[in-house]
Amino acid sequence: MTSGTTAPASRTTDAAAEPGTAERTPDEQAADHTRRLTAAGVHTVAVTWVDNAGITRVKAVPARRLGQTAQHGVGFAAIFDRALGDDSFAPGGTPDGDLRLRADLTRLTALTAPAGWAWAPGDRHEQSGEPAPTCQRSFLRRAARRAAERGLTVRAGFETEWTVSLKGDPDEPRPACGGPAYGMARLLEMAGYLAEVHAALDAHGVEVLQLHPEYAPGQFEVSTAPADPVGAADDAVLVRETIRAVSQRHGLVPSFGPVVGPDEVGSGRHLHLSLWRDGHNLCAGGDGPGGMTGDCAAFLAGVLRELPALLALGAPAPASYLRLRPSRWAGAYHCWGVENREAALRFVCPGDLTGANAELKCFDGAANPYLLVGAVIEAGLAGVAEHLTLPPPVTGDPHSRPDRPPRLPVSLAESLDALRGSAPLRAALGEPLFAAVEAVRAAEDAQAARLSPERLAHTTRHRY
Ligand code: GLU
Ligand code: MG
């Protein structure tokens, strides 16, 4: 884990990319991009989006078709809104309908891993040109805009945990290294690999804050600099695919699933966020709990209230609940604490005017980062609108306290019920997106009911 400082960074996906680009037509801008990519030896661009099951889906296009792909998109079957992690589809989908996946060239990135490729995140549009109501990235953009209309800016960043195994029998994953948790010995064993992960992230424009061995066998973590909400979700996608590409180059198998085995400490993907107004971090400089301002406390109280429902987006796989267990620093209890690593909401660096932020520890890498960050913002905005206040913070391991706080949902079925009952999240997602998410969760929950914990871990460990 890291403190995940949340000072505003300069990159944003909202602003015009470079000085002087305003006068150039979209076609001219795309032609510039194509020229630059071609000069760098890049001929193909992967345009990604993340589906409701948390799988990154892709269409690749020739670099010379960038302008076309940015303005009119490439076709993507609408049924993928109901795609499950095993590539089957939840009931209710039909072969009809096509959405247009448009590359966002403000985030176009030439990749060093894999070399010869570029990447851009995509937004899904209707053929009429309107953003598709089920487009998760557009949902997040709307949530950020709704915060901005209230004078609030959210900065966010993810910590990515992953494990690395040797190639071999997928039923018997063998960690790629030994060495103790957080151990220098483990780092040295994997120093070449980790240096390459760092260099590739750097080359891809993702600023690394920390990189270290984690607790479980073969497990590592990278945390990256905070960004605007859409930028943070894009970073989460790029970080994972970069690690995957470098791992493959080293003949290693990365796992981003919630657990490798049902009884091990799992991999989280914690979300850090801070709230700003007029350039001031509202997480500090106030007279609320932990030194936060009233607005920050109300925002976090809204997030805390909705945590059971948010889990259906942030811990969206049946296997997520193999990870989300007490005393594993995964945040299994419905409470918050100041620097408490067992609280689902950990308030970090209290009093630090630039660095104070909140860490949501209960989320994992099966989450669609766009859906998750958007929903967290909406939950927080509801808290601000309703002037909610935070309960007292919890100290120590909630599991061993006599006044144990409630557990968060212990299954996907429970968190899906909470999502169904969450008026603010239901309204924010809108009916088409809510219905698609609900169908996917219900279908994955039904599939998992037939599996032992071992099979469940096995089927999801290399899925994401
Ligand atoms: N691996 C733990 C998890 O499942 C988190 C450890 C940490 O606090 O970074 O979320
Ligand atoms: Mg960690």
Side-chain angles (χ1 to χ4, degrees), residues 1 159 161 182 214 219 221 265-268 270 323 328-330 361:
M1 86 301 306
E159 299 177 358
E161 292 182 338
Y182 294 83
E214 251 292 346
Q219 192 181 38
E221 171 179 320
V265 168
S267 289
H270 305 175
R323 164 189 166 259
R328 294 181 182 201
W329 291 7
K361 292 178 70 74

Side-chain angles (χ1 to χ4, degrees), residues 48 112 255 340 373 433:
T48 60
T112 58
S255 163
N340 183 345
V373 180
L433 185 51

